[in-house]
Amino acid sequence: MNFATYSPSMYFMEATYLIASILFILSLKMMSHPDTARRGMFLAEGGMFAAVVGTLIGGHIISWTWIIAGLSLGSIIGAWMAVSVPMTAMPQRTALSHAFGALAAALVGIGEFLVNINELGPVKRGALGFEIILGALTTTGSLIAAGKLQGIVPGRPIQFKGQNIVNLATAAAMAGCFFYFWFNPEASAVFYSMLGIAFLFGVMLVIPIGSADMPVVMSLLNSYAGLAAAATGFVLGNNVLIIAGTLDGFSGFILSVLMCKAMNRSITNVLFGGFGSVIAEETHSAGGVMREISLDDAAMQLAFASRVIFVPGYGLATAQAQHAVRELADMLEERGVTVKYAIHPVAGRMPGHMNVLLAEANVPYSALYEMEQINPEFPSTDVAVVIGANDVVNPDARDNPKSLIAGMPILEVDRARSVIVLKRGQGRGFSGLENPLFFKSCTSMLYGDAKSSLTHLAQAVQHV
Ligand code: NAP
């Protein structure tokens, strides 16, 4: 980089890149806590805006027509997605964004190959190869992930005999093309073969994974998309792409590891375990009977309790019951009941799922308690209300070493004096396992859609 040849607009561009990079780092830090996460998002948006403005002013624009067309189309699609995609479809929407980001990296790589390949030295050629491979496999991998989450592609793991060997052979062919291209940059057939195999590899990588493990996979794909962007930065000599891509790459990887830890699974088990297919064969039965409770009895218990803990899970998200639970909580608090919310790190289907939903309903952050904080409080709690949660409250994870989820940390609701479970019927959770909590003597079941049960409970509490 020779600053002596810089024009004022290029200095301006580098300055905006520096500001953008600082904003990205600060935003990541702020997003690690619910209190500051929203402001963190604004900082990230500001950083992205600064980087785009800097790039536009910094020069190298060949055709404003294409830039304006792309900007307008992207803004319209982005705004439409932001207002029309429901909260429950956020995981697949995120997967689509990863696919588009990675496709952009792959397309820039193809552009560099067509226009500048003879000017790239060995280091930049290596970066170009990485950009193409990571960009292409992330594009198809993320599209399959979005399809599985949306139900367009079968959500169960698609597995066949010798799958791992086929995958290894595909990866080896891709690596072979990479090295050949590295030493023979004019070999365009090999370059395009590498691109095609990487697209195929993305599909092969994701089809054997069950839809329930998709959030972990998406977080990994997010990490690959970030690294593809960083590789693009090396090829183009663009600092903000290198910094933002690396931040994205490593934060995505750390998030995947944290999610696996919270589910007590290893990354290899998620990627190669075919979790959904194994659990379908699981036959363990907790036995006993589930005791049903009437709406009026449940309302009575809540109205006369002094401590209540709400435990939301995936069913709260599907029922969109966040506002209903807030209304019930307000009503109980007006009667002098102490109300808290217990948040499991992997409740729902994406990290922070419950925090986001409850924040939307203006539940104060101070009322949300993490697992380690709230578990010691269950024994002194009168009623724990489980709202569409299942695996995250399954005592087998703690008590049954043979359980498929043994060792997964849980919210110990079974230690509360009384437990009311709100769910529609006998449906199992994401793991497909039976939950002995539902058969315990302290537990009673209030069947129905969570939103309607909560709304009716609030009405009944009012009349107690
Ligand atoms: P869960 O184990 O998936 O259970 C959800 C329960 O909600 C079901 O048993 C279902 O029973 C009930 N339900 C569904 N729709 C409902 C509705 N409209 N009204 C009332 N109930 C409803 O959920 P969870 O306890 O939150 O556990 C999350 C699981 O996802 C964990 O196993 C976790 O490892 C996994 N996971 C999470 C993440 C993440 O980042 N959060 C990522 C990957 C995997 P009925 O059908 O009988 O109603």
Side-chain angles (χ1 to χ4, degrees), residues 270-288:
V270 169
L271 295 181
F272 307 110
F275 196 51
S277 63
V278 178
I279 51 172
E281 289 157 17
E282 203 265 347
T283 52
H284 166 83
S285 166

Side-chain angles (χ1 to χ4, degrees), residues 212 215 259 263 313-315 318-319 345-351 388-392 408 422-430 448-450:
M259 283 160 81
M263 295 191 286
Y314 179 60
T318 52
V346 292
R349 289 293 182 272
M350 60 179 179
N390 194 335
D391 292 345
V392 299
M408 169 174 158
L422 272 54
K423 69 202 292 285
R424 295 164 307 179
Q426 316 285 319
R428 296 186 178 192
F430 136 76
D449 173 76

